Amino acid sequence: MGKEQPERILGANIRKLRKKRGISLQDIAANTGVSKSFISQVENGKTQPSLSTLISIAEYLDTSINTLLDDHSPEPGPMVKEDEQKTVIYADGIVMNMLTKSETYKQIQPILYELEAGASSGKKQYQHFGQEFVYIIEGCLEIELGGEIYNLEKGDSLYFNSTVPHSFRNKSCELTKALWIDTPATL
């Protein structure tokens, strides 16, 4: 897939899975906190949801973000070249570079996040089963975790249980790059 139109693949996969499971646009909208028209725009590749909304959609459809991004191209072998990474670009200034291939039984999910100045995971905090590790490669990142604020700078790391409500944002005026590892592979 590389960097080619992930929003179209994402939208098509959401629509396909929603229809396969007999879920209406209204059902998914009501259970993810967004409007029916917004879900329709996502399915048609006209807009990208925030990260927290995408997580809500994936959870409601009982799948992972990585599965929703899967373009079903053959992926032999364990290595991923930089130009083969699946990349998702969000309208809110977040780029997620998937550093491993889509595999059903994968236990960890390493992702390279690139956050423009002011980019955030969304207005609401989210939580899910698992644990997370974040390492700041460049820039700085504010992570709210269970009501406490952690300001991470280059070289800092944070490890936490994903069941604790969390959100993040780049409060700086420069690009931030962070290695983010989830276990199990929830995205």
Side-chain angles (χ1 to χ4, degrees):
M1 177 168 98
K3 300 180 193 288
E4 298 178 43
Q5 299 185 329
E7 63 278 356
R8 293 205 183 274
I9 292 166
L10 173 68
N13 286 343
I14 289 172
R15 177 184 293 116
K16 181 179 174 182
L17 190 56
R18 178 180 62 77
K19 288 185 174 188
K20 180 179 177 182
R21 298 204 174 146
I23 298 171
S24 70
L25 282 171
Q26 184 60 42
D27 288 340
I28 196 169
N31 286 282
T32 58
V34 295
S35 70
K36 179 179 166 182
S37 63
F38 180 78
I39 295 294
S40 178
Q41 288 177 343
V42 169
E43 285 188 355
N44 290 310
K46 294 180 179 178
T47 191
Q48 287 277 49
S50 70
L51 180 58
S52 61
T53 299
L54 184 54
I55 288 170
S56 294
I57 291 169
E59 285 178 352
Y60 185 70
L61 294 174
D62 194 28
T63 192
S64 68
I65 291 175
N66 210 21
T67 298
L68 293 176
L69 296 172
D70 192 1
D71 64 355
H72 307 291
S73 60
E75 300 178 335
M79 186 170 132
V80 178
K81 294 280 203 178
E82 183 177 13
D83 65 347
E84 296 172 341
Q85 292 173 2
K86 290 182 183 180
T87 301
V88 183
I89 303 168
Y90 292 97
D92 52 0
I94 297 176
V95 176
M96 291 171 52
N97 299 290
M98 303 303 199
L99 302 177
T100 58
K101 297 176 182 180
S102 298
E103 294 180 18
T104 305
Y105 303 105
K106 183 168 50 176
Q107 294 182 24
I108 66 168
Q109 175 95 50
I111 301 169
L112 176 61
Y113 277 83
E114 297 178 30
L115 298 101
E116 297 292 334
S120 77
S121 57
K123 293 180 182 177
K124 64 180 184 175
Q125 292 193 324
Y126 59 97
Q127 62 192 75
H128 49 90
F129 175 76
Q131 296 180 327
E132 300 182 38
F133 171 81
V134 183
Y135 176 79
I136 307 303
I137 298 168
E138 177 182 318
C140 57
L141 190 65
E142 177 186 277
I143 298 179
E144 185 172 350
L145 179 62
E148 188 147 347
I149 303 289
Y150 295 90
N151 289 298
L152 285 75
E153 298 177 352
K154 181 180 177 179
D156 293 345
S157 63
L158 185 67
Y159 181 85
F160 60 95
N161 286 321
S162 307
T163 55
V164 176
H166 55 282
S167 61
F168 58 88
R169 67 182 173 144
N170 179 358
K171 287 178 51 176
S172 74
C173 55
E174 61 185 43
L175 178 72
T176 293
K177 292 184 180 182
L179 174 63
W180 209 294
I181 300 173
D182 289 318
T183 185
T186 55
L187 301 180

